[in-house]
């Protein structure tokens, strides 16, 4: 029940009414030990297996977008212009496998950036995230 309350609180802080479908999405995303990387299409396929209650694609998109805006998810754009979402919102880097279309976390301290460009006038660098693309040898 405590986990369910945590999900309801995430939904409410994201300005979403805690419906049964949204609670199911939240539990699937956040009730896990490890980081989860996903596209909305992948999440839709997983959540809408034949043996479960259907959740509309619009509800999934809206819930993911609201979680992102509330800071519960991070969006990662890969080099093939696909938006992936990450349940780990702390600063870290990724490997992206072009063949399997999978993201894997890299510890933030395992990548050292030696030189940074000057930020545009009136802006400052907030964070640096590196995506390293992989391919077979």
């Amino acid at each position: 029940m405590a986990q369910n309350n945590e999900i309801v609180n995430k939904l409410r802080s994201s300005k979403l009414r805690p419906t049964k479908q949204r609670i199911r999405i939240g539990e699937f995303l956040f009730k896990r030990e490890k980081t989860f990387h996903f596209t909305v299409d992948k999440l839709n396929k997983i959540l809408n297996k034949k043996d479960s209650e259907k959740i509309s694609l619009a509800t999934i998109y809206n819930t993911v977008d609201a979680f992102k805006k509330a800071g519960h998810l991070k969006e990662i754009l890969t080099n093939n212009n696909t938006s992936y979402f990450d349940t780990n919102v702390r600063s870290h880097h990724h490997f992206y496998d072009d063949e399997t279309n999978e993201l894997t976390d890299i510890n933030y301290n395992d990548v050292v950036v030696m030189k940074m460009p000057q930020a545009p006038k009136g802006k400052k660098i907030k964070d640096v995230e590196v995506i390293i693309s992989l391919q077979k040898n």
Side-chain angles (χ1 to χ4, degrees), residues 72-102:
H72 303 307
L73 292 173
K74 181 185 286 191
E75 184 174 14
I76 297 119
L77 186 63
T78 62
N79 59 355
N80 67 354
N81 288 328
T82 302
S83 285
Y84 283 80
F85 295 89
D86 191 345
T87 56
N88 179 359
V89 294
R90 293 187 305 253
S91 292
H92 65 287
H93 311 288
H94 291 96
F95 284 119
Y96 176 70
D97 189 320
D98 287 327
E99 186 179 327
T100 63
N101 296 321
E102 290 183 18

Side-chain angles (χ1 to χ4, degrees), residues 31-116:
K31 193 177 180 181
R32 56 181 61 242
E33 293 286 321
K34 295 177 77 175
T35 298
F36 182 56
H37 302 102
F38 64 96
T39 63
V40 172
D41 287 338
K42 178 180 173 185
L43 183 61
N44 180 45
K45 286 177 185 164
I46 293 169
L47 290 174
N48 287 317
K49 290 180 184 170
K50 291 179 185 173
D51 60 340
S52 63
E53 268 185 58
K54 301 291 183 215
I55 300 174
S56 76
L57 185 58
T59 297
I60 295 171
Y61 266 107
N62 291 337
T63 303
V64 167
D65 186 57
F67 280 156
K68 182 187 84 166
K69 287 178 180 171
H72 303 307
L73 292 173
K74 181 185 286 191
E75 184 174 14
I76 297 119
L77 186 63
T78 62
N79 59 355
N80 67 354
N81 288 328
T82 302
S83 285
Y84 283 80
F85 295 89
D86 191 345
T87 56
N88 179 359
V89 294
R90 293 187 305 253
S91 292
H92 65 287
H93 311 288
H94 291 96
F95 284 119
Y96 176 70
D97 189 320
D98 287 327
E99 186 179 327
T100 63
N101 296 321
E102 290 183 18
L103 286 173
T104 307
D105 288 346
I106 303 171
N107 185 302
Y108 191 79
N109 295 324
D110 288 347
V111 175
V112 178
V113 178
M114 299 299 285
K115 186 176 180 197
M116 296 292 294

Side-chain angles (χ1 to χ4, degrees), residues 21-29 47 55 59-60 63:
Q21 294 91 349
R22 290 175 179 155
I23 290 170
R24 189 165 143 225
I25 293 167
E27 285 178 340
F28 183 82
L29 293 176
L47 290 174
I55 300 174
T59 297
I60 295 171
T63 303

